[in-house]
mmCIF file of all heavy atoms in Angstrom:
data_model
loop_
_atom_site.group_PDB
_atom_site.id
_atom_site.type_symbol
_atom_site.label_atom_id
_atom_site.label_comp_id
_atom_site.label_asym_id
_atom_site.label_seq_id
_atom_site.Cartn_x
_atom_site.Cartn_y
_atom_site.Cartn_z
ATOM 1 N N ILE A 96 40.672 -33.865 27.242
ATOM 2 C CA ILE A 96 41.275 -34.951 28.013
ATOM 3 C C ILE A 96 42.564 -35.425 27.347
ATOM 4 O O ILE A 96 43.588 -35.639 28.009
ATOM 5 C CB ILE A 96 40.271 -36.096 28.184
ATOM 6 C CG1 ILE A 96 39.144 -35.671 29.132
ATOM 7 C CG2 ILE A 96 40.955 -37.364 28.699
ATOM 8 C CD1 ILE A 96 37.981 -36.635 29.204
ATOM 9 N N ASP A 97 42.528 -35.602 26.024
ATOM 10 C CA ASP A 97 43.731 -36.014 25.295
ATOM 11 C C ASP A 97 44.853 -34.980 25.472
ATOM 12 O O ASP A 97 46.025 -35.340 25.634
ATOM 13 C CB ASP A 97 43.421 -36.197 23.807
ATOM 14 C CG ASP A 97 42.608 -37.446 23.526
ATOM 15 O OD1 ASP A 97 42.519 -38.323 24.413
ATOM 16 O OD2 ASP A 97 42.048 -37.544 22.409
ATOM 17 N N TYR A 98 44.475 -33.707 25.438
ATOM 18 C CA TYR A 98 45.460 -32.628 25.579
ATOM 19 C C TYR A 98 46.070 -32.642 26.981
ATOM 20 O O TYR A 98 47.300 -32.528 27.146
ATOM 21 C CB TYR A 98 44.770 -31.285 25.307
ATOM 22 C CG TYR A 98 45.688 -30.094 25.360
ATOM 23 C CD1 TYR A 98 46.527 -29.791 24.288
ATOM 24 C CD2 TYR A 98 45.719 -29.266 26.478
ATOM 25 C CE1 TYR A 98 47.375 -28.689 24.333
ATOM 26 C CE2 TYR A 98 46.563 -28.162 26.523
ATOM 27 C CZ TYR A 98 47.393 -27.881 25.450
ATOM 28 O OH TYR A 98 48.234 -26.791 25.493
ATOM 29 N N LEU A 99 45.253 -32.807 28.005
ATOM 30 C CA LEU A 99 45.745 -32.862 29.381
ATOM 31 C C LEU A 99 46.701 -34.037 29.568
ATOM 32 O O LEU A 99 47.772 -33.907 30.184
ATOM 33 C CB LEU A 99 44.583 -32.975 30.359
ATOM 34 C CG LEU A 99 43.756 -31.717 30.572
ATOM 35 C CD1 LEU A 99 42.484 -32.050 31.341
ATOM 36 C CD2 LEU A 99 44.556 -30.645 31.312
ATOM 37 N N LYS A 100 46.342 -35.192 29.045
ATOM 38 C CA LYS A 100 47.171 -36.380 29.205
ATOM 39 C C LYS A 100 48.490 -36.263 28.451
ATOM 40 O O LYS A 100 49.529 -36.783 28.877
ATOM 41 C CB LYS A 100 46.388 -37.616 28.749
ATOM 42 C CG LYS A 100 45.219 -37.937 29.668
ATOM 43 C CD LYS A 100 44.315 -39.000 29.110
ATOM 44 C CE LYS A 100 44.908 -40.378 29.258
ATOM 45 N NZ LYS A 100 43.950 -41.441 28.878
ATOM 46 N N ALA A 101 48.447 -35.551 27.319
ATOM 47 C CA ALA A 101 49.656 -35.409 26.501
ATOM 48 C C ALA A 101 50.604 -34.348 27.050
ATOM 49 O O ALA A 101 51.837 -34.544 27.033
ATOM 50 C CB ALA A 101 49.277 -35.057 25.057
ATOM 51 N N PHE A 102 50.070 -33.237 27.556
ATOM 52 C CA PHE A 102 50.917 -32.108 27.926
ATOM 53 C C PHE A 102 51.000 -31.830 29.421
ATOM 54 O O PHE A 102 51.910 -31.128 29.862
ATOM 55 C CB PHE A 102 50.435 -30.848 27.194
ATOM 56 C CG PHE A 102 50.600 -30.912 25.707
ATOM 57 C CD1 PHE A 102 49.549 -31.292 24.887
ATOM 58 C CD2 PHE A 102 51.819 -30.628 25.108
ATOM 59 C CE1 PHE A 102 49.703 -31.369 23.505
ATOM 60 C CE2 PHE A 102 51.995 -30.696 23.745
ATOM 61 C CZ PHE A 102 50.927 -31.081 22.930
ATOM 62 N N TYR A 103 50.049 -32.354 30.211
ATOM 63 C CA TYR A 103 50.072 -32.121 31.656
ATOM 64 C C TYR A 103 49.801 -33.436 32.402
ATOM 65 O O TYR A 103 48.897 -33.510 33.248
ATOM 66 C CB TYR A 103 49.010 -31.087 32.035
ATOM 67 C CG TYR A 103 49.193 -29.733 31.393
ATOM 68 C CD1 TYR A 103 48.470 -29.389 30.249
ATOM 69 C CD2 TYR A 103 50.071 -28.796 31.929
ATOM 70 C CE1 TYR A 103 48.627 -28.134 29.663
ATOM 71 C CE2 TYR A 103 50.231 -27.544 31.359
ATOM 72 C CZ TYR A 103 49.500 -27.228 30.215
ATOM 73 O OH TYR A 103 49.667 -25.986 29.644
ATOM 74 N N PRO A 104 50.575 -34.472 32.127
ATOM 75 C CA PRO A 104 50.255 -35.805 32.665
ATOM 76 C C PRO A 104 50.311 -35.915 34.189
ATOM 77 O O PRO A 104 49.645 -36.766 34.774
ATOM 78 C CB PRO A 104 51.299 -36.703 32.014
ATOM 79 C CG PRO A 104 52.446 -35.794 31.681
ATOM 80 C CD PRO A 104 51.808 -34.492 31.308
ATOM 81 N N ASP A 105 51.082 -35.049 34.828
ATOM 82 C CA ASP A 105 51.270 -35.165 36.272
ATOM 83 C C ASP A 105 50.596 -34.036 37.060
ATOM 84 O O ASP A 105 50.816 -33.898 38.268
ATOM 85 C CB ASP A 105 52.761 -35.186 36.618
ATOM 86 C CG ASP A 105 53.482 -36.360 35.964
ATOM 87 O OD1 ASP A 105 52.900 -37.466 35.976
ATOM 88 O OD2 ASP A 105 54.598 -36.155 35.443
ATOM 89 N N LYS A 106 49.786 -33.257 36.384
ATOM 90 C CA LYS A 106 49.144 -32.105 37.032
ATOM 91 C C LYS A 106 47.743 -32.452 37.521
ATOM 92 O O LYS A 106 47.070 -33.338 36.991
ATOM 93 C CB LYS A 106 49.070 -30.931 36.054
ATOM 94 C CG LYS A 106 50.419 -30.441 35.544
ATOM 95 C CD LYS A 106 51.262 -29.850 36.663
ATOM 96 C CE LYS A 106 52.565 -29.265 36.129
ATOM 97 N NZ LYS A 106 53.394 -28.671 37.199
ATOM 98 N N THR A 107 47.290 -31.718 38.544
ATOM 99 C CA THR A 107 45.924 -31.868 39.030
ATOM 100 C C THR A 107 45.003 -30.877 38.313
ATOM 101 O O THR A 107 45.444 -29.798 37.893
ATOM 102 C CB THR A 107 45.848 -31.640 40.549
ATOM 103 O OG1 THR A 107 46.406 -30.339 40.847
ATOM 104 C CG2 THR A 107 46.608 -32.714 41.296
ATOM 105 N N VAL A 108 43.740 -31.242 38.210
ATOM 106 C CA VAL A 108 42.774 -30.460 37.440
ATOM 107 C C VAL A 108 41.527 -30.192 38.268
ATOM 108 O O VAL A 108 41.020 -31.094 38.955
ATOM 109 C CB VAL A 108 42.390 -31.212 36.134
ATOM 110 C CG1 VAL A 108 41.317 -30.437 35.360
ATOM 111 C CG2 VAL A 108 43.613 -31.433 35.269
#
Side-chain angles (χ1 to χ4, degrees):
I96 289 171
D97 287 345
Y98 183 79
L99 287 169
K100 292 170 77 172
F102 294 97
Y103 299 98
D105 300 318
K106 300 295 185 180
T107 55
V108 176

